[in-house]
Amino acid sequence: MLHVLVIDDNKADRALVIRELKREFAQIEIQEILDEKELAAALTAKQFNAVVTDYDLRWTNGLNILRTVKQLYPYCPVIMFTGTGSEEIAVEAMKSGLDDYVLKSQSKYIKLPISLRIAIERLENRRSSELLEIRLRRLLNQLQIGTFRANSNGNYIESNTVFLKLLGIDNLAQLQTRDVLNIREYYSMLEKLPEPQQELEIELQRPDGTLVWVALSITLNEIDGQKVLDGLIEDITARKQVEIERQQLNSILEQRVIERTAELEATNRTLDETNQKLVMANQDLETFTYSVSHDLRSPLRAIQGFGTILQNQQLEPERQKKYLQRIIISSQSAFRLIDDLLEYSRISRSELPLRLIDLSSVVAEVLMQLESTIQQRQATVQVEEPLPQVIGNYTILIQIISNLVNNAIKFVAPQVKPVVRIYAERTFNNKIRLWIEDNGIGIAQNYQERIFTVFTRLHSNDEYPGTGIGLAIVRKGAERLGALVGVESQPGQGSRFWIEFSAEC
Ligand code: ADP
């Protein structure tokens, strides 16, 4: 129901106004005001939604009424309906908040209710937009979303409390001196964009030094012909923290996967290597068995052959003696072969305590053991002292060096007196090499590796007796000490065998 105060001294005019209003509004209640007292009572009772007043009144004028009403009820629509008011009055009245000004002429009567309707609708719009704004503000506060507006100079015009709280400031004035958000930069950035709108996630430092991650949404708007920057800001520190933690967790997991994969690959490699070793060991074993049976067969065959001859044939004593001697020599070589094989097997398997060994004393011991051979062959052995200390095993070192010196004396051309030189040197990569150099027959390049395998012999037993196991023992022994062995040689130019120790003191 619409309640309207109609203020006019002229009864006919009042009737006119009332008729027009009733024609337009079905639900309307009109109160006629005839003097100051009635007006005062109506204002106090406040049972009206709009006022239609004449300008010329006996007891006051329309302007005063307008001011009085607007003072008490600023939103209440007031329409002035007059036949006498001048243009200045109209301007003055509009300034004071008059909603419309309608002239009292026959043709304009009809305008009055329309003006009132427009004024009422405007009021309703205003009310609902105010309500909307209140609700929006409340909502933003509840959602903890900060709002702000800045002008084209980058100065803040308004904000809500959430915004101030988020930025850690008490009032906007504080931001004019120290703009945490750097709004001027955003302003000029947005001005350059075809669509002046941006969503950003940034980390801010509050005046107290604390850091906060915020989601910032900014837009350039135009309000009453003025460009303004409107922004929404939300604290996303907690989400960012979760994100950062998740990233860290991911990279830890990735690292673990990489490590685990590497571990598995390493295990696989070890398994492969072990398999390879097993395959090789099997192959070694096969060749080994084959060689053992082959090499043992020849002395046994000789024993068997000469034995059969002695058994079946009547030979003169000289011949018998010769054959018996061949049998003894063959059985000796079979024994030697078996002894050497046992030695090779022992060196491959036995427990080896490693300690610091003085090479000088090892070499001295070897030369003592070989003394009679050296004398027999009229060999000269030169030891270039001092020899260093190495990590090794005394018994194995005796065995290795003894085999090498023995070979150095043995594999010499007939009529040549063996000359052996034993010395040590430090290699470029800080290892120690013990050299055993001879003036012997030398070894062709393509045999220099093969001679270290079991039963490889380059000469017949008649030329140079042996079992073909000596150098295999040397290599196996060196392996057990973590050392390497090799040879440098040329046929007819002598040989230089070396043992390289990785650990030295
Ligand atoms: P063996 O001495 O019983 O024949 P080795 O294993 O000690 O067996 O040596 C294998 C082969 O290597 C020898 O038969 C020989 O042909 C060659 N060899 C070893 N040492 C020397 C050396 N110092 N000079 C020349 N040839 C050598």
Side-chain angles (χ1 to χ4, degrees), residues 407 410-411 438 443 451 456-459 466-468 470-471 497:
N407 281 353
K410 184 165 64 168
F411 292 102
D438 63 43
I443 305 156
I451 51 172
T456 306
R457 308 201 64 241
L458 307 179
H459 308 279
T467 57
L471 286 181
F497 282 82

Side-chain angles (χ1 to χ4, degrees), residues 271-473:
L271 280 174
D272 281 353
E273 280 166 15
T274 315
N275 268 344
Q276 194 119 11
K277 275 186 192 154
L278 277 174
V279 170
M280 275 164 67
N282 269 342
Q283 281 170 357
D284 275 0
L285 201 66
E286 254 172 55
T287 352
F288 189 76
T289 334
Y290 175 78
S291 306
V292 172
S293 47
H294 174 267
D295 276 52
L296 255 181
R297 241 182 223 137
S298 52
L300 291 177
R301 205 178 290 121
I303 293 168
Q304 197 189 32
F306 290 119
T308 316
I309 295 172
L310 283 173
Q311 193 186 34
N312 297 339
Q313 293 177 26
Q314 291 293 326
L315 300 169
E316 47 224 70
E318 230 3 73
R319 267 245 149 136
Q320 279 183 12
K321 204 174 156 193
K322 204 177 155 197
Y323 283 1
L324 277 172
Q325 225 161 14
R326 298 290 283 271
I327 288 176
I328 292 168
I329 289 171
S330 291
S331 57
Q332 273 172 350
S333 85
F335 267 121
R336 223 180 22 242
L337 195 70
I338 290 167
D339 283 347
D340 279 359
L341 277 172
L342 285 174
E343 186 55 42
Y344 180 74
S345 140
R346 194 180 62 78
I347 219 163
S348 309
R349 276 164 244 281
S350 60
E351 276 292 307
L352 285 187
L354 297 182
R355 58 187 179 81
L356 202 56
I357 307 279
D358 182 12
L359 281 179
S360 291
S361 61
V362 175
V363 170
E365 166 90 39
V366 168
L367 297 185
M368 232 164 66
Q369 285 178 8
L370 294 177
E371 206 180 338
S372 63
T373 321
I374 293 170
Q375 269 177 12
Q376 243 176 25
R377 302 280 177 117
Q378 293 183 301
T380 313
V381 182
Q382 301 159 357
V383 182
E384 289 181 14
E385 294 281 5
L387 295 177
Q389 292 189 316
V390 293
I391 299 285
N393 176 280
Y394 196 78
T395 322
I396 300 276
L397 280 172
I398 293 272
Q399 185 78 52
I400 293 175
I401 295 169
S402 163
N403 285 6
L404 290 175
V405 176
N406 205 17
N407 281 353
I409 294 169
K410 184 165 64 168
F411 292 102
V412 177
Q415 319 308 329
V416 174
K417 287 184 185 166
V419 177
V420 183
R421 201 176 143 229
I422 303 175
Y423 60 98
E425 68 171 24
R426 192 178 293 270
T427 63
F428 72 96
N429 53 354
N430 212 22
K431 298 193 172 182
I432 284 186
R433 269 193 180 191
L434 181 73
W435 290 92
I436 291 148
E437 187 182 294
D438 63 43
N439 59 339
I441 54 173
I443 305 156
Q445 179 77 34
N446 49 337
Y447 290 114
Q448 286 175 8
E449 191 48 42
R450 274 168 53 189
I451 51 172
F452 289 96
T453 58
V454 185
F455 301 127
T456 306
R457 308 201 64 241
L458 307 179
H459 308 279
S460 73
N461 232 356
D462 295 338
E463 268 181 300
Y464 296 101
T467 57
I469 302 175
L471 286 181
I473 292 177

Side-chain angles (χ1 to χ4, degrees), residues 47-234:
Q47 277 167 346
F48 59 93
N49 318 95
V51 176
V52 175
T53 181
D54 189 8
Y55 180 76
D56 262 332
L57 296 163
R58 282 190 318 275
W59 42 284
T60 182
N61 65 33
L63 214 53
N64 287 335
I65 292 200
L66 168 74
R67 286 181 182 139
T68 313
V69 172
K70 288 283 177 183
Q71 205 172 13
L72 288 170
Y73 311 112
Y75 295 152
C76 180
V78 179
I79 312 278
M80 212 180 274
F81 184 63
T82 175
T84 52
S86 67
E87 208 166 299
E88 288 88 73
I89 294 169
V91 172
E92 187 60 35
M94 292 308 257
K95 270 192 203 159
S96 302
L98 186 74
D99 292 80
D100 208 357
Y101 191 90
V102 182
L103 283 176
K104 272 187 186 176
S105 74
Q106 196 64 38
S107 58
K108 302 283 172 18
Y109 283 142
I110 193 151
K111 242 195 98 189
L112 179 70
I114 297 168
S115 280
L116 186 59
R117 188 173 281 286
I118 290 171
I120 288 167
E121 275 173 11
R122 200 187 300 134
L123 175 64
E124 274 166 9
N125 283 344
R126 191 170 164 174
R127 282 228 173 94
S128 63
S129 76
E130 273 177 6
L131 204 66
L132 211 65
E133 198 175 323
I134 289 166
R135 280 197 189 141
L136 184 68
R137 272 182 203 284
R138 205 174 294 153
L139 192 71
L140 290 173
N141 279 343
Q142 261 172 14
L143 291 174
Q144 288 295 301
I145 292 175
T147 59
F148 64 91
R149 175 168 286 176
N151 64 17
S152 54
N153 300 327
N155 292 328
Y156 291 89
I157 306 164
E158 59 174 56
S159 76
N160 67 355
T161 47
V162 180
F163 176 77
L164 299 177
K165 227 170 87 191
L166 234 159
L167 265 62
I169 51 171
D170 300 327
N171 51 56
L172 278 184
Q174 253 177 289
L175 275 186
Q176 314 296 5
T177 49
R178 187 169 184 275
D179 184 7
V180 179
L181 257 183
N182 223 346
I183 210 69
R184 279 178 191 85
E185 236 172 64
Y186 290 129
Y187 201 102
S188 46
M189 177 184 90
L190 286 181
E191 270 188 321
K192 285 174 203 135
L193 295 178
E195 188 146 340
Q197 219 252 322
Q198 276 287 295
E199 312 278 338
L200 309 148
E201 286 187 358
I202 48 172
E203 196 178 28
L204 301 177
Q205 188 172 28
R206 294 186 179 115
D208 68 358
T210 54
L211 295 168
V212 59
W213 269 100
V214 294
L216 180 66
S217 166
I218 42 175
T219 328
L220 274 194
N221 290 320
E222 214 170 286
I223 307 274
D224 297 334
Q226 294 277 313
K227 263 196 185 169
V228 289
L229 185 145
D230 282 317
L232 296 176
I233 186 168
E234 192 185 356

